[in-house]
Amino acid sequence: MSLQTRLLSLVDVLLRVPPLFIIDELFRMGLGLPQGHSLPSNYEKSNETIHIVDIDGELVTETGSPIFQYDAQFYKLFFMVLLKFIFSCVGCLAALCTFMLWTKHLLVVYMYLISVGVVFVSYWGNVTTIKTIMMSMNESPTSILEDILSLNFERLLRIDGCGMVLLENCAAQCGMAYIFSYVHLGPKYPLLQKSWPIIFLAPSFLCLLPLPQSLLHHAPVFAAVLPLAMVKFVLWSSSFSIIQTVYGGYVHARTFVSNFGLSALMETEWLRLNVPCVLRTFWLVRLIEQAVALQLPVGLNIGSLLLTGKSLLITGCETLTAVLGMTSVISYICHYIGCFFQWVLLTEDEDDKSIGTVSAILFYILALQTGLTGLEPEKRFVRLCRNFCLLFTALLHFIHNIVNPLLMSLSASHNPSLHRHVRALAVCLFLIVYPMSLLAYLWSHHPMSTWLLAVSAFSVEVIVKVVVSLLIYALFLIDAYRSTFWEKLDDYVYYIRAFGNTVEFCFGIFLFFNGAWILMFESGGAIRAGMMGIHAYFNIWCEARAGWSVFMKRRTAVNKIESLPEASEHQLARLDDVCAICYQEMRTAKITRCNHFFHGVCLRKWLYVQDRCPLCHDILYKVEVDKENEEGRNSNTNRSDVALDQNVQHIEEPR
C-alpha cells in the first residue's frame, strides 16, 4: 500500500470519528431521560381513604394506600423530558447517517459545518472585542483613533489594553474571512470573495471611530448577517440534493439486499466504512481527552499511574459507543496474540473467524450481559476486570483450536521436523500451566462466587482438552513407529475423545445452571436470558444430539461387524493379500457375505458411510439380507393372494 493511499485512508477514518463523539455524548446524557431512581419532588404521597366501586356495585373502602398527586408542573416536566428524548434520538440518527456517508459527501458536510462555525466564532470574537473596548471607553473618554493620532503608544501597546485586543481580533477575523471564502459552498463571485475580509473586519474598523455604544453593540450582528444568509442559502438550495442523496442510498441498499442479501450488504459497508479502525481511533482519542481532563501531576509514581489507569478504564466503558471502541482495541490486541502463537507454531492458516473477531464478539456480549455501562464506577471496574479474566480464559480455547490440528497433522503425517513438535508441545505446556496457576491464584485471593466457578470451569475444560489432544497425539506417534497394523487404535482414540467430549458436555451443563443462578438471584436481564437459551441449544442440546448420533452409529456398526465371520489363519495365508480399504497387511479379518476380506476396524469405519461392500457393492451383512428376503417372500405371498382373490371374483361374476 502506497503512502498516499495510507494517508487517504487515515483522513477517511478521522472524518468519521466526530459523529461517534456526538452519539457518545448523547448516550452519556442518557438520551435526555432523567437519571437516577428517585421520584420527582412534585410527587406527593398521601394516606387517604380510597373508595372503589366493584363489579356488583358495592362500595369498597381502603385506607392507607399511596396516592400520587400530579400537578401541571409534572406534565411540563414530562413534556420537556419527552422533547429531549426525541431530539436526542434524532441527533443519534443524524450522526449515524453522517457516519455512513461516502467520503465526498462527508467532505461537503464538514465544509458546510466549518462555514457555519466560522460565522459564529467570528460573531463571538467581535462581541468580545467590542465589550472590551466599550469598557475601556467608559474608563477613558478618548477613542482608539485618538490614541493613534496622538501617538499614545503606551496605552495602545499595553498587553491588557484595547489596542492589543483589537489587533488580535483583526488578525483572527482576517484568518476566518479567508477560511470562509474558501470553504463556503455558495456561489463564489469575485467581488463577493474579495469583500469577505472587509465584512468580517467591519466591527473592528468601527471600533476605531468614536461612535455611540448602541451602534457598536449591534455591529457584530450586521457583520454576521451576510455570511449567515449565504450559509442558509446554501442549505436551502441543497435540500433537494440532500433528499436525493438519502433516497439514492436507500435505493442502492434495497437493490443490493435483493440481489445479494442483507449479510452481504452489512459486510460490504463494514469494509467500506472501516468500522474497526474508526472505533479504535475514537476510543484512543476519547482516552487522550479523558487523560488531559484528569490534569495529571508532574511527579508521577507507580501508585498514581495505577489510579490514572483505573480511572481511564472506568470512563472508557461508560457508554455503549465507548464499549464498542474498547471492544475494537481488545480485538486488535487479541488478533496479534493469535498471530504470535501462529508464528510460534509456524502456521499461517487464515480463518474467517479469527481470534480477534471471536474475542470482540465475546467481550461485547459479556459487557451487555453484565450491564457494564449502568454500574457504579467501582463496581464497573471490578466487573471489567472479571470480564477480562473470562475473555483471557476463553482465549486459551482459541489457542487450543490452533495447536490441536497441528498436533494431529504432525503425528499423522510422520513429520520428522523435531523443532515443530517441540514448539507445539511448548504451547500445550503453556495451556496447562497457565490455567493451573491462574486457578491457584484466584482461589487463594478471592472467595467462591459464580464468576469464579465460571472461570474455573473454563480453565479446567481447556486443560482436559489439551490432555486429550496430547494423548491422541501420543497414540498416533506410537502407531507411526509400529511395523504392524494396530487394530485397537481406533477404539482408544474413540474412548479418549468420548471422555473429553463428555467432560466438555458436563461443564456446559454446569455453566448453564451457574448462569441460571446468576439470572435468578444475582443479576437478571433479557440479554443474559437470551444467551442462556443460545448456550442451552447449541452447547447442550446440539452437542448431546450429535454425540448420541455418533454413539448409535458406532454401536450399530459394531453389531453389524460382529455378525460377520472371522477369517482363520489358514484363510488369510491362502489369500495373502492386503486390506482393500487401508492397503495394509491383514493378520485378522472379517469375511463379508460376498467373500471379501477386510480389517474389522476398516469395515466398521466404512459402515459409517454406507452398508455395501467397497468392492462389489453387495450387502455386507446377513441380517439385513435375511430381512430383505423375508420382506420379499411376504410381498410375493401378498401378491399371490391378491391374484387369487381377483381370480375368484372373476369366476363368481355372472356372465
Side-chain angles (χ1 to χ4, degrees), residues 133-153:
I133 292 175
M134 289 172 63
M135 291 175 60
S136 177
M137 291 176 62
N138 292 330
E139 296 176 358
S140 176
T142 59
S143 63
I144 299 177
L145 183 60
E146 293 175 349
D147 291 334
I148 294 174
L149 294 176
S150 61
L151 301 179
N152 190 0
F153 295 107

Side-chain angles (χ1 to χ4, degrees), residues 628-644:
E628 289 182 359
N629 293 334
E630 184 178 355
E631 291 176 358
R633 288 195 299 269
N634 293 334
S635 62
N636 291 332
T637 303
N638 294 332
R639 283 197 296 269
S640 62
D641 293 340
V642 171
L644 180 61

Side-chain angles (χ1 to χ4, degrees), residues 558-596:
V558 169
N559 293 333
K560 292 175 181 178
I561 294 300
E562 289 179 353
S563 66
L564 298 177
E566 188 80 23
S568 63
E569 294 182 1
H570 176 70
Q571 289 174 319
L572 292 175
R574 187 177 61 183
L575 178 66
D576 192 19
D577 198 359
V578 296
C579 176
I581 298 177
C582 67
Y583 297 104
Q584 294 193 25
E585 182 183 0
M586 290 187 293
R587 294 182 179 273
T588 61
K590 290 287 186 178
I591 305 175
T592 64
R593 181 177 176 273
C594 50
N595 292 326
H596 289 132

